[in-house]
Amino acid sequence: AQSVAQPEDQVNVAEGNPLTVKCTYSVSGNPYLFWYVQYPNRGLQFLLKYITGDNLVKGSYGFEAEFNKSQTSFHLKKPSALVSDSALYFCAVREVKAAGNKLTFGGGTRVLVKP
Amino acid sequence: DVKVTQSSRYLVKRTGEKVFLECVQDMDHENMFWYRQDPGLGLRLIYFSYDVKMKEKGDIPEGYSVSREKKERFSLILESASTNQTSMYLCASSPRTGRFTDTQYFGPGTRLTVL
């Protein structure tokens, strides 16, 4: 079975400071990993994904994430947060050999960037 | 751009009613998904479909059924709505092959309230 944990319900950060949203995963084989963002009253938007190759993945809106196989983590980062980054962030995993592309999502982390 | 639309943004129904939630995608994607989103629980997969007339249960299928008669349309059916089905329902689609496989594209969501 595959699972995802986002240990923080909420992250507060001042505008201009670095932002990190944590994610750890569990799969029996190799993972595909994803980050999605949900702005207020909007559907989920794809941010970035790790499939294979370079452990540092760059995505939309200046976000990046680092895949760490030994720590089974895929933390989302942004060097300088903006107020407009305030949203709900979801990490998701799919085991490479799993049938179809069924994703398992974490519980979500709310990010609040204060001016 | 991929567009996934859902028939209603907000829906209020009474206990025992039969409820239909409709989802349409315009990118000829083979895979379609229905999730429910609840605070602290993230997204949980209800049902998914690999192709027309094909469906598979997700993690929480009880109390729900689905229909996929056309490739672009995936319907979620609550046979007899109950108050514990009050939630945000999200539809998603993804291609089966190509570089964007595994990336799911989401609709705006339907907030269902069952009284």
Side-chain angles (χ1 to χ4, degrees):
Chain A
Q2 53 195 36
S3 66
V4 176
Q6 294 181 243
E8 300 156 317
D9 291 335
Q10 181 159 323
V11 170
N12 298 316
V13 63
E15 188 174 31
N17 282 2
L19 169 64
T20 298
V21 186
K22 295 180 180 177
C23 171
T24 59
Y25 67 90
S26 175
V27 295
S28 56
N30 291 319
Y32 291 162
L33 293 155
F34 302 80
W35 277 102
Y36 284 83
V37 60
Q38 186 177 40
Y39 297 103
N41 300 314
R42 307 264 305 265
L44 269 71
Q45 296 180 31
F46 169 77
L47 269 182
L48 51 81
K49 67 179 178 182
Y50 170 82
I51 301 296
T52 187
D54 195 345
N55 289 344
L56 185 64
V57 179
K58 294 188 183 296
S60 307
Y61 313 122
F63 283 94
E64 58 187 28
E66 186 166 11
F67 171 61
N68 187 318
K69 189 171 184 178
S70 63
Q71 296 186 3
T72 61
S73 67
F74 189 57
H75 301 330
L76 181 70
K77 299 180 181 182
K78 187 171 183 179
S80 178
L82 301 172
V83 172
S84 57
D85 293 329
S86 298
L88 188 56
Y89 291 80
F90 291 96
C91 182
V93 68
R94 177 170 97 76
E95 186 183 344
V96 171
K97 292 184 178 179
N101 61 350
K102 176 185 166 184
L103 297 180
T104 297
F105 286 82
T109 298
R110 188 166 299 280
V111 170
L112 182 59
V113 182
K114 297 181 179 179
Chain B
D1 278 354
V2 176
K3 191 169 183 181
V4 181
T5 57
Q6 296 183 228
S7 51
S8 305
R9 291 299 304 273
Y10 300 93
L11 209 53
V12 180
K13 296 292 181 181
R14 298 211 172 270
T15 301
E17 280 193 75
K18 190 168 186 176
V19 182
F20 293 87
L21 303 182
E22 304 286 338
C23 175
V24 178
Q25 50 94 4
D26 66 357
M27 285 300 292
D28 202 35
H29 286 170
E30 290 83 5
N31 302 320
M32 296 189 74
F33 307 82
W34 274 107
Y35 296 89
R36 62 177 284 175
Q37 180 184 358
D38 300 290
L41 298 178
L43 276 70
R44 292 179 292 167
L45 183 64
I46 304 171
Y47 267 97
F48 59 109
S49 170
Y50 294 126
D51 207 339
V52 176
K53 296 190 185 297
M54 296 183 69
K55 59 185 178 183
E56 291 213 13
K57 293 180 180 179
D59 299 318
I60 51 165
E62 295 79 17
Y64 304 94
S65 62
V66 290
S67 172
R68 188 146 182 222
E69 297 297 319
K70 294 184 178 181
K71 191 174 185 179
E72 67 270 19
R73 186 180 298 269
F74 193 35
S75 302
L76 180 69
I77 303 156
L78 287 65
E79 295 289 343
S80 177
S82 63
T83 54
N84 62 12
Q85 292 179 310
T86 291
S87 186
M88 171 70 85
Y89 290 88
L90 295 173
C91 175
S93 72
S94 72
R96 186 185 296 159
T97 58
R99 64 186 287 257
F100 294 106
T101 189
D102 293 304
T103 300
Q104 294 186 15
Y105 299 88
F106 284 82
T110 296
R111 185 166 295 282
L112 172 67
T113 302
V114 182
L115 302 176

